[in-house]
């Protein structure tokens, strides 16, 4: 989910140094391709979170907040128009995308809505997860730590 932010903050700058990539051997097209790939990965993860936390319509085997008693449906991460555009962007190659250099979505806005849902869910699991083994509880606590830094 954080791949785009991680790319922009760390990888985009440091990869040039550690791999010896410079203006002579790394074109803007290559950097744009990486930004687009990490952006698409981020938006795909955010879409999954939106479906898990907020979407009432689902396939029978999809996990959803309804599967966790006492943890209700949350506020939508995407507005309806944005969700439609995101679904189209992820599922179909369009004429508009062909000429587009970098995929652009308001990632910070979406993360600001998704991260509190994730933190609340991790805390819910920690409080209600008596069936989890020690390794799973440790992973949940690790996620809570990571989310508290974002």
């Amino acid at each position: 989910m954080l791949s785009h932010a991680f790319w922009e903050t760390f990888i985009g700058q440091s990869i040039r140094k550690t791999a010896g990539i410079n203006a002579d051997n790394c074109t803007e097209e290559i950097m744009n391709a990486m930004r687009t790939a990490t952006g698409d990965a981020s938006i795909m993860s955010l879409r999954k979170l939106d479906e898990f936390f907020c979407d009432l319509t689902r396939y029978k085997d999809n996990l959803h907040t309804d599967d966790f008693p006492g943890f209700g449906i949350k506020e939508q991460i995407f507005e309806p128009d944005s969700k439609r555009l995101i679904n189209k962007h992820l599922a179909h190659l369009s004429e508009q995308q062909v000429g587009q250099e970098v995929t652009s979505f308001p990632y910070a806005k979406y993360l600001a809505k998704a991260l509190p849902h994730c933190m609340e869910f991790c805390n819910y699991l920690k409080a209600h997860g008596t069936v989890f083994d020690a390794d799973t509880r440790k992973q949940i606590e690790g996620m809570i730590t990571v989310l508290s830094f974002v």
Side-chain angles (χ1 to χ4, degrees), residues 17 21 41 50-51 55 62 69 73 81 83 103 114 139 150:
K17 294 176 189 173
I21 296 173
D50 187 65
E51 286 181 359
D55 201 344
N62 286 12
I73 294 174
D81 286 345
K83 189 171 186 172
T103 305
Q139 287 178 341
V150 178

Side-chain angles (χ1 to χ4, degrees), residues 48-76 120-121 124-125:
K48 287 180 181 184
L49 289 172
D50 187 65
E51 286 181 359
F52 175 74
F53 288 119
C54 314
D55 201 344
L56 293 173
T57 59
R58 63 180 176 153
Y59 292 103
K60 189 191 306 188
D61 65 337
N62 286 12
L63 286 177
H64 190 269
T65 56
D66 288 349
D67 298 319
F68 301 88
F71 193 87
I73 294 174
K74 303 300 171 197
E75 176 189 359
Q76 292 282 321
E120 185 180 349
F121 185 66
Y124 169 90
L125 290 176

Side-chain angles (χ1 to χ4, degrees), residues 80-100:
D81 286 345
S82 296
K83 189 171 186 172
R84 184 181 51 75
L85 291 173
I86 288 165
N87 288 341
K88 183 177 186 328
H89 173 82
L90 293 173
H92 309 285
L93 181 61
S94 68
E95 292 176 5
Q96 180 184 9
Q97 288 172 317
V98 171
Q100 191 175 22

Side-chain angles (χ1 to χ4, degrees), residues 122 125-126 132 136-145:
C122 285
L125 290 176
K126 185 177 176 185
F132 297 136
T136 303
R137 281 193 298 276
K138 189 175 180 178
Q139 287 178 341
I140 292 168
E141 289 171 6
M143 285 303 302
I144 290 169
T145 301

